[in-house]
């Protein structure tokens, strides 16, 4: 069954967690080499790989004399700056032994939030793949501040999966897959081989565990699987510490947990609006317009807006909220805050009279609008 599932796969995003290539003492060079060897075998089989590798902070902290987790942000950023060179060097050396090449791609959330930079990043990564070079992506930890963080590399790997339109996301974790219960608390816990949909029930089973190294626990992996599913891609969570795990996956071995892609996938543009683009403000929308958007698939017109919050420019993403402030959709807005303040509550026919010009009737056009999914609450 797994073999059939993987038969169509050509482009793979592989996420390597810090816990897979490092331990609390620092980077495990042998693990980086083992994973690189495994990836090179996939390249030999004609697959394209985009690697999202964590581990920079773990690899660099030793040189700052830090044992355990670095505490302050400057410490983490300095450790990442040091450690990133260590991990890339080790990947590069091992790939080179197979006559393969790697390239480093460091991204911030801002890079993917801006459409032009998003497309630029996409072109760069696709060009590297065209040249047969394996991109190794990480968050640009050294420069990011909280407002522009992806947060964790599970999320980053899901966004990269959509960015490069990969066929599968493989998350290498330090556990065998997704369990009914936390296996570290209950050794009898059963592994779930296939998850059809990440429902709130599944999420509550994931708990909120954080590993000793790295940022993500199972909850961030479930969120990543959900986001990948919405771009029409399945996610496999497997144990990255198992020998030759990648080769074994593509040999058809039934390992880990496979999360099926969603039936109703978002277009690449809508996926970007939903998850990569950072919302800048809020529109409060009356009940009639809310129903028109949710039930009848309509665009948002100025007449339906009864309040605004936050500064935004034309082309920014905004949240569409009900009168209680609850988000029900988000989309790219065709007018600036200053313009909205003048035309809100008014008919489309009045826009030109009020502003002296009109871009379009719709404030948020349907093509640029995504309904907020019941179980996908964005925190930022
Ligand atoms: N970017 C961080 C690093 O390379 C890891 C983030 C994560 O573990 O999710 O250390």
């Amino acid at each position: 069954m797994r073999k059939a599932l993987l038969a169509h796969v050509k482009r793979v995003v592989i996420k390597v967690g810090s816990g897979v290539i490092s331990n609390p003492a620092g980077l495990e060079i042998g693990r980086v080499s083992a994973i690189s060897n495994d990836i090179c075998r996939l390249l030999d089989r004609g697959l394209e790989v985009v690697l999202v590798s964590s581990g920079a902070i773990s690899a660099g902290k030793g040189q700052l004399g830090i044992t355990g987790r670095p505490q302050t942000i400057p410490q983490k950023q300095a450790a990442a700056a040091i450690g990133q060179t260590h991990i890339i060097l080790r990947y590069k050396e091992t790939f080179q032994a197979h006559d393969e090449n790697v390239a480093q791609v460091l991204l911030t959330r801002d890079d993917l939030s801006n459409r032009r930079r998003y497309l630029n990043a996409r072109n760069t990564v696709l060009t590297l793949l065209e040249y047969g070079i394996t991109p190794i992506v990480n968050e640009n930890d050294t420069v990011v501040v909280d407002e522009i963080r992806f947060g964790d590399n599970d999320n980053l790997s899901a966004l990269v999966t959509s960015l490069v339109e990969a066929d599968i996301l493989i998350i290498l974790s330090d556990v065998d897959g997704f369990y009914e219960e936390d296996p570290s608390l209950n050794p009898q816990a059963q592994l779930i081989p296939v998850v059809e949909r990440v429902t709130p029930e599944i999420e509550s089973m994931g708990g909120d565990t954080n590993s000793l190294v790295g940022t993500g626990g199972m909850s961030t992996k479930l969120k990543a699987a959900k986001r990948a599913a919405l771009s029409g891609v399945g996610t496999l969570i497997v144990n990255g510490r198992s020998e030759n795990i990648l080769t074994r996956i593509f040999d058809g071995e039934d390992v880990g947990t496979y999360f099926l892609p969603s039936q109703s996938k978002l277009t690449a543009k809508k996926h970007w609006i939903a998850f990569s683009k950072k919302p800048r403000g809020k529109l409060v929308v009356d009940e009639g317009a809310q129903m028109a958007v949710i039930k009848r698939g309509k665009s948002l017109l100025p007449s339906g807006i009864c309040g605004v919050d936050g500064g935004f420019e034309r082309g920014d993403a905004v949240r569409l909220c009900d009168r209680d402030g609850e988000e029900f959709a988000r989309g790219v807005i065709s007018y600036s805050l200053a313009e909205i303040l003048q035309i809100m509550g008014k008919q489309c026919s009045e826009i030109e009279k009020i502003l002296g010009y009109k871009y379009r009737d719709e404030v948020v056009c349907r093509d640029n609008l995504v309904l907020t999914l019941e179980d996908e609450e964005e925190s930022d």
Side-chain angles (χ1 to χ4, degrees):
M1 130 118 187
R2 277 286 166 82
K3 219 164 187 162
L5 205 108
L6 296 169
H8 74 286
V9 170
K10 166 91 175 110
R11 184 171 295 161
V12 191
V13 171
I14 297 171
K15 187 258 170 174
V16 179
S18 299
V20 174
I21 52 170
S22 57
N23 59 36
L27 190 68
E28 290 178 66
I29 286 169
R31 294 297 318 147
V32 181
S33 299
I35 286 170
S36 304
N37 290 333
D38 212 9
I39 292 174
C40 287
R41 282 191 289 270
L42 302 190
L43 299 178
D44 279 348
R45 295 180 185 198
L47 294 172
E48 290 176 339
V49 174
V50 177
L51 183 59
V52 176
S53 181
S54 304
I57 297 174
S58 302
K61 65 181 186 175
Q63 233 162 298
L64 296 177
I66 298 172
T67 49
R69 254 188 129 106
Q71 291 307 322
T72 67
I73 289 174
Q75 278 178 344
K76 284 185 194 162
Q77 296 192 310
I82 300 164
Q84 183 66 19
T85 65
H86 294 319
I87 51 174
I88 285 290
L89 183 64
R90 178 52 56 173
Y91 280 123
K92 186 178 163 69
E93 282 172 356
T94 320
F95 271 68
Q96 253 169 8
H98 295 266
D99 282 330
E100 297 287 353
N101 277 309
V102 298
Q104 171 179 268
V105 180
L106 297 178
L107 294 173
T108 64
R109 170 102 195 249
D110 257 9
D111 296 323
L112 298 192
S113 184
N114 175 301
R115 188 73 184 161
R116 204 167 50 85
R117 276 155 70 187
Y118 175 93
L119 293 174
N120 196 32
R122 174 182 153 85
N123 280 340
T124 306
V125 175
L126 294 183
T127 304
L128 289 167
L129 291 176
E130 238 168 70
Y131 278 85
I133 294 165
T134 301
I136 304 182
V137 182
N138 195 0
E139 179 154 17
N140 196 350
D141 294 304
T142 303
V143 298
V144 286
V145 287
D146 263 357
E147 306 84 76
I148 54 161
R149 278 190 74 82
F150 293 109
D152 58 80
N153 275 5
D154 294 323
N155 180 26
L156 175 59
S157 68
L159 300 183
V160 167
T161 299
S162 172
L163 180 80
V164 302
E165 290 170 274
D167 304 310
I168 192 167
L169 167 62
I170 301 179
I171 297 183
L172 301 186
S173 170
D174 50 7
V175 288
D176 286 344
F178 181 59
Y179 285 82
E180 283 173 357
E181 286 174 72
D182 186 341
S184 63
L185 301 176
N186 178 6
Q188 310 298 323
Q190 294 291 311
L191 182 101
I192 305 176
V194 178
V195 174
E196 267 177 44
R197 204 169 84 85
V198 179
T199 56
E201 191 197 347
I202 292 281
E203 282 180 306
S204 68
M205 285 156 71
D208 215 8
T209 47
N210 257 347
S211 51
L212 269 180
V213 279
T215 311
M218 197 40 86
S219 63
T220 57
K221 289 174 183 51
L222 295 176
K223 203 163 178 179
K226 206 153 76 169
R227 291 179 174 192
L230 283 167
S231 52
V233 175
T235 299
L236 196 52
I237 299 182
V238 294
N239 194 331
R241 286 186 171 268
S242 297
E243 282 314 302
N244 307 323
I245 187 72
L246 294 167
T247 318
R248 282 162 48 208
I249 290 169
F250 284 91
D251 281 344
E253 214 179 288
D254 215 350
V255 284
T257 303
Y258 182 65
F259 296 78
L260 294 174
S262 162
Q263 301 289 340
S264 49
K265 73 174 226 184
L266 297 172
T267 61
K269 174 97 184 275
K270 290 201 175 194
H271 196 277
W272 172 75
I273 292 169
F275 304 121
S276 294
K277 193 161 173 61
K278 200 169 171 59
R280 298 264 175 236
K282 249 186 201 178
L283 298 180
V284 183
V285 173
D286 68 25
E287 296 74 13
Q290 185 186 357
M291 281 307 118
V293 167
I294 297 178
K295 300 269 188 246
R296 302 206 302 280
K298 298 285 188 201
S299 299
L300 179 69
L301 303 177
S303 54
I305 304 172
C306 49
V308 280
D309 186 14
F312 49 82
E313 289 301 323
R314 174 173 150 77
D316 279 343
V318 292
R319 301 167 193 274
L320 275 49
C321 301
D322 62 19
R323 289 183 197 271
D324 296 328
E326 202 65 39
E327 176 180 331
F328 63 89
R330 69 175 61 175
V332 176
I333 193 157
S334 312
Y335 290 91
S336 68
L337 171 66
E339 291 162 335
I340 293 292
L341 286 170
Q342 297 177 68
I343 62 173
M344 59 189 256
K346 302 286 199 283
Q347 296 304 313
C348 300
S349 55
E350 297 175 274
I351 299 177
E352 195 162 358
K353 203 163 55 194
I354 298 170
L355 298 178
Y357 53 86
K358 175 164 84 172
Y359 298 123
R360 58 194 309 157
D361 282 349
E362 301 88 358
V363 167
V364 181
C365 174
R366 193 68 205 182
D367 295 343
N368 292 327
L369 185 153
V370 194
L371 296 184
T372 309
L373 306 143
E374 299 150 30
D375 44 358
E376 178 70 48
E377 235 348 284
E378 265 288 68
S379 51
D380 34 300

